[in-house]
Amino acid sequence: MLAFLNDLIWGKILIFVLIAVGLLLTISSRFVQFRYFGRMFTILGESFHREEGHLSSFQALALSVAGRVGAGNIAGVAVAITLGGAGAIFWMWVIGLIGMATSFFECTLAQLFKNAEPDGTYRGGPAYYIERGLGKRWLASLFSALLLITFGLGFNALQSYTVATSIQDTFGVPTSITGVILLIVLGLIIFGGIKRIADVAEFVVPIMAIGYLAMSLFVLVTNIAEIPNVFSLIFKSAFGLQQAVSGGVGAAILFGVKRGLFSNEAGLGSAPNVAAVAYVEHPVNQGIIQSFSVFIDTIILCTCTAAIILLSSVYQPDSDVSGIVLTQAAMAEHVGGWGRAFVTIALVLFAFTSMIYNYYLGENSLNFFSPENKLLFNIFRGLTLALVVWGSAQDLSTVFAFADLTMGLLALVNLVAVFLLFKVGLRVMKDFDRQVQAGDQQPIFDASRFSDLNIDRQAWREKGDNMPELITTKV
């Protein structure tokens, strides 16, 4: 039944909806992900600024990348190539470029409709823009429940299983010991709240991403003569000109789109929960930043993994070697036996930061149902840690299939909401465009120009205000 439902949602419904909504947002915004691509770097340079009592835009980006960059970039790419051939990478690129626009809109909406919390932080995400923007509490509750089940519970057990089994295979450490270590380290972080989570992500994410990128560049440079052949193989396989797997171009599209969404999460509705926590001058700033995080994930890091695999002789279309083992074997061929250990360590770091991110998404879901309920939060933290230990020693194939199903439903709910609110997103984007065209180096969001929208006035200033907390009444 799970296989049937997953095939129905992923193979027949979600692919169409995801691409259709992404193209609508791309075209209606006049290709915003490309128009503001250069500005991404400017905003990124400014995003280190941290308003007192709030998370910086860079911290929100780091936390988002912590979630996007994970097992999907190492094991997921290998699975896509194994099942869909080299052409799957092309369709991962396509879904990534389209997804940049989707991520821009969903994260801009998350900023627009975020809530100011008593401790000076913000919370937001699809549940909040569904309730405030569409006035549909029941749909927002459904989204939050799916988010809690998929990320807060299911994916953390899966990440723990991935980490524990990978360490056991490489270093011989029993999975139970890894599970206990994960419990201790993760517990110290998540009981410190969102600010400690963001501080850890801000430190760890750049190190792990740059380290993996550096190793990938080494492989590319040492095999530079073969790179044109790799890209030729990807393009030919993508359009069926060179069939590398049974199923041909259909398999390439299916697994490219599915693994692409799993990796970059654009349109899934997870990243907006993190995008909303930052203090920014205009919602579009964070939309642009989050669009860039999709580029980092899919166009840069997934391509690095694909190059490592396709530049090796390990990958063969009819080979039984797949998943993380394929990536490890390919890296070992390029740099020697220690390459297996490097991939394992990279996977552990990626998966661990994803677990931190997954926990926050679950906490955000609980906050929507019962704001700032410390007892409920502590129960959830304990359950998360218990699942981490449990997942480290289980065969989670059924859990993975169930999480795939709930993730698909989660994406459908969010994409419907983004589609219904895309005119609001366009209106906010045009306000940003207008200020840029007028020569403003740093556009500022004026809440008085959007008085017809049900936004939290404690989270956004009106013209003439100097601090975002000055207005104390909520609409």
Side-chain angles (χ1 to χ4, degrees), residues 355-399:
M355 290 167 71
I356 299 173
Y357 169 82
N358 293 343
Y359 163 77
Y360 176 71
L361 296 183
E363 181 185 286
N364 205 40
S365 298
L366 286 180
N367 189 75
F368 180 78
F369 291 115
S370 183
E372 300 302 318
N373 187 323
K374 293 184 179 180
L375 175 62
L376 189 60
F377 280 10
N378 285 332
I379 292 174
F380 174 63
R381 287 164 181 161
L383 181 59
T384 297
L385 297 177
L387 283 172
V388 164
V389 176
W390 174 78
S392 66
Q394 303 295 321
D395 180 358
L396 299 179
S397 56
T398 302
V399 176

Side-chain angles (χ1 to χ4, degrees), residues 446-463:
D446 179 4
S448 66
R449 297 177 61 87
F450 298 84
S451 58
D452 57 311
L453 299 179
N454 184 23
I455 61 177
D456 184 350
R457 298 305 177 84
Q458 286 182 305
W460 289 110
R461 69 183 70 177
E462 291 191 0
K463 188 175 183 180

Side-chain angles (χ1 to χ4, degrees), residues 26-282:
T26 296
I27 295 170
S28 62
S29 67
R30 295 180 293 116
F31 298 86
V32 65
Q33 67 269 51
F34 304 122
R35 285 197 295 117
Y36 282 132
F37 188 81
R39 196 175 185 88
M40 291 178 188
F41 298 96
T42 302
I43 296 176
L44 187 62
E46 298 169 348
S47 66
F48 292 93
H49 169 72
R50 179 172 177 173
E51 192 77 12
E52 184 64 31
H54 297 282
L55 300 182
S56 70
S57 183
F58 180 76
Q59 285 180 311
L61 171 66
L63 189 53
S64 176
V65 172
R68 295 186 196 273
V69 177
N73 299 83
I74 298 179
V77 171
V79 170
I81 292 175
T82 303
L83 299 178
I89 301 305
F90 174 83
W91 297 108
M92 287 186 75
W93 293 337
V94 170
I95 209 66
L97 293 174
I98 294 175
M100 288 173 70
T102 307
S103 186
F104 169 85
F105 274 89
E106 63 179 354
C107 293
T108 296
L109 288 170
Q111 269 287 328
L112 178 67
F113 290 107
K114 66 186 179 183
N115 280 6
E117 299 296 303
D119 64 354
T121 60
Y122 300 121
R123 285 192 185 270
Y128 293 82
Y129 59 67
I130 289 171
E131 182 178 39
R132 285 186 171 274
L134 297 176
K136 299 184 183 298
R137 174 78 183 183
W138 69 270
L139 189 61
S141 298
L142 174 62
F143 180 90
S144 286
L146 288 169
L147 187 69
L148 177 62
I149 293 169
T150 305
F151 286 91
L153 302 177
F155 280 171
N156 261 345
L158 292 170
Q159 294 286 7
S160 176
Y161 171 76
T162 301
V163 170
T165 54
S166 182
I167 289 178
Q168 183 183 49
D169 291 342
T170 305
F171 302 110
V173 179
T175 56
S176 57
I177 293 179
T178 301
V180 172
I181 293 174
L182 286 173
L183 179 150
I184 295 171
V185 178
L186 189 63
L188 291 173
I189 296 171
I190 66 177
F191 275 95
I194 180 59
K195 291 182 180 179
R196 182 179 295 176
I197 291 172
D199 287 341
V200 171
E202 184 181 30
F203 174 74
V204 175
V205 169
I207 293 175
M208 71 178 192
I210 292 172
Y212 189 69
L213 180 61
M215 181 59 72
S216 302
L217 288 175
F218 171 78
V219 173
L220 291 173
V221 170
T222 55
N223 294 272
I224 194 166
E226 296 298 319
I227 292 177
N229 292 333
V230 167
F231 279 93
S232 176
L233 174 63
I234 290 173
F235 287 111
K236 287 180 179 179
S237 300
F239 296 100
L241 300 177
Q242 179 172 328
Q243 300 301 131
V245 291
S246 59
V249 66
I253 295 174
L254 174 63
F255 290 104
V257 170
K258 187 175 180 179
R259 292 301 106 192
L261 175 60
F262 178 78
S263 177
N264 65 50
E265 299 183 10
L268 188 56
S270 52
N273 294 273
V274 175
V277 305
Y279 171 83
V280 291
E281 296 285 355
H282 198 287

